[in-house]
Amino acid sequence: MKILVVGDVVGENGVKKIKEVIQQLKQKEKIDFIIVNGENTAGGMGITEKLYKEILEIGANVITMGNHTWGKKEIFNFINSPNLIRPANYPKEIPGKGYITLKCNDKKITIINLIGRTNMNVLSENPFIEVNQILNKIKQQTDIIIVDFHAEATAEKIAMGYYLDGKVNIVYGTHTHVQTSDETILPKGTAYITDIGMTGPKHSVIGMDIKASIKRFETTLPERYKLAEGECKFNGCIFDINDKDCRIHKITRINQ
């Protein structure tokens, strides 16, 4: 089995980019299952129902979120949609679900979405404790477990990788919009990468207009968030899974 995970899709042009690339990858690499982080799709912050449906039509099986989950208020109208998950360690009273189990090629695949607590400015529970509680519920009921850890600090992400080594099949980071080159199989068999990167404007500051971004840093004055325009890049990873023991035997980064 081959699982494709796509890095934070930024803006509507980012959605157009995944449509272009995913169609090619599905044919070339024979992709079986696709996970897309969609929290930045609608103008850079949040997601709309229209974009949610469009990404599913492109071929995504699951859409994960992050700190901009509530960026577009209409999400409350579809937050309980079957293929949409938000960080599981958000406060319990918040709507939506933090993980989902789907079937693919006679395997049950569980995807868990978590958010970090270091420099994220989001009210959340401890992701380490939360994921452990989830695993205690589901570990006997699923074949493959994948974690999208939406976090800022590399140390927090790396710690999560080792914490879950041998407990889940894949841990990958999202949020920083910069793809890291540290993909590896950890000692107990879990596939790990600190951040899978961004799918969005190529010439930008993590998706943001360059001039507007520089002005914020140069003057320290508030500057309205503005998406960059122009050519988009595609970031993600393909994880090859052995069908017999569900262990990852290959990780391929995509940066195009």
Side-chain angles (χ1 to χ4, degrees):
M1 184 187 298
K2 287 189 177 183
I3 295 177
L4 169 66
V5 297
V6 183
D8 301 46
V9 180
V10 179
E12 289 76 0
N13 286 337
V15 176
K16 291 179 182 177
K17 185 66 176 180
I18 63 170
K19 183 176 184 179
E20 170 192 325
V21 176
I22 282 178
Q23 290 175 345
Q24 297 172 355
L25 284 175
K26 286 185 75 172
Q27 293 180 356
K28 181 181 177 182
E29 300 291 341
K30 295 181 173 56
I31 302 298
D32 298 290
F33 197 86
I34 300 172
I35 306 168
V36 174
N37 186 284
E39 68 136 18
N40 296 124
T41 51
M45 289 188 181
I47 189 171
T48 63
E49 188 168 13
K50 178 179 179 295
L51 288 170
Y52 164 73
K53 291 179 178 178
E54 188 174 338
I55 294 170
L56 292 182
E57 288 172 2
I58 290 170
N61 299 92
V62 179
I63 298 172
T64 59
M65 299 296 284
N67 57 304
H68 293 307
T69 296
W70 318 111
K72 296 292 180 284
K73 297 307 177 187
E74 69 174 86
I75 195 172
F76 289 100
N77 298 326
F78 65 98
I79 187 64
N80 292 311
S81 296
N83 304 84
L84 180 67
I85 58 175
R86 46 79 175 157
N89 57 316
Y90 271 157
K92 300 301 182 186
E93 63 272 14
I94 285 179
K97 56 189 176 297
Y99 64 94
I100 187 173
T101 301
L102 299 174
K103 201 167 185 181
C104 178
N105 295 0
D106 295 323
K107 300 290 185 183
K108 290 182 179 179
I109 305 175
T110 299
I111 303 90
I112 304 171
N113 196 182
L114 298 172
I115 194 165
R117 296 205 295 180
T118 304
N119 298 329
M120 291 298 287
N121 299 316
V122 173
L123 180 64
S124 62
E125 305 295 336
N126 189 315
F128 292 81
I129 293 174
E130 181 65 28
V131 73
N132 205 40
Q133 291 175 345
I134 293 171
L135 293 179
N136 286 335
K137 293 177 185 177
I138 67 168
K139 60 185 178 182
Q140 302 300 327
Q141 305 168 15
T142 191
D143 301 297
I144 298 168
I145 303 174
I146 302 169
V147 176
D148 173 350
F149 190 26
H150 200 79
E152 177 76 22
T154 55
E156 190 177 16
K157 291 179 179 180
I158 293 168
M160 181 64 77
Y162 281 107
Y163 182 73
L164 294 178
D165 187 19
K167 299 177 183 177
V168 307
N169 302 78
I170 301 168
V171 177
Y172 66 90
T174 54
H175 178 65
T176 67
H177 293 200
V178 179
Q179 188 180 80
T180 56
S181 58
D182 61 340
E183 70 276 13
T184 188
I185 307 296
L186 296 173
K188 296 178 182 178
T190 295
Y192 172 84
I193 181 170
T194 298
D195 204 287
I196 59 173
M198 172 192 80
T199 296
K202 184 176 183 179
H203 300 290
S204 69
V205 178
I206 62 171
M208 187 177 176
D209 178 79
I210 294 172
K211 289 183 179 179
S213 183
I214 290 175
K215 186 176 179 181
R216 290 171 68 102
F217 287 108
E218 185 179 34
T219 66
T220 69
L221 295 174
E223 180 70 18
R224 186 175 180 179
Y225 187 88
K226 181 182 177 184
L227 277 181
E229 299 179 355
E231 180 186 1
C232 287
K233 65 177 180 179
F234 180 97
N235 279 171
C237 277
I238 297 173
F239 295 90
D240 286 63
I241 301 180
N242 186 301
D243 291 334
K244 292 182 179 180
D245 59 12
C246 294
R247 293 177 70 89
I248 311 298
H249 60 85
K250 183 180 179 183
I251 308 169
T252 305
R253 280 188 294 117
I254 304 168
N255 184 2
Q256 64 183 55

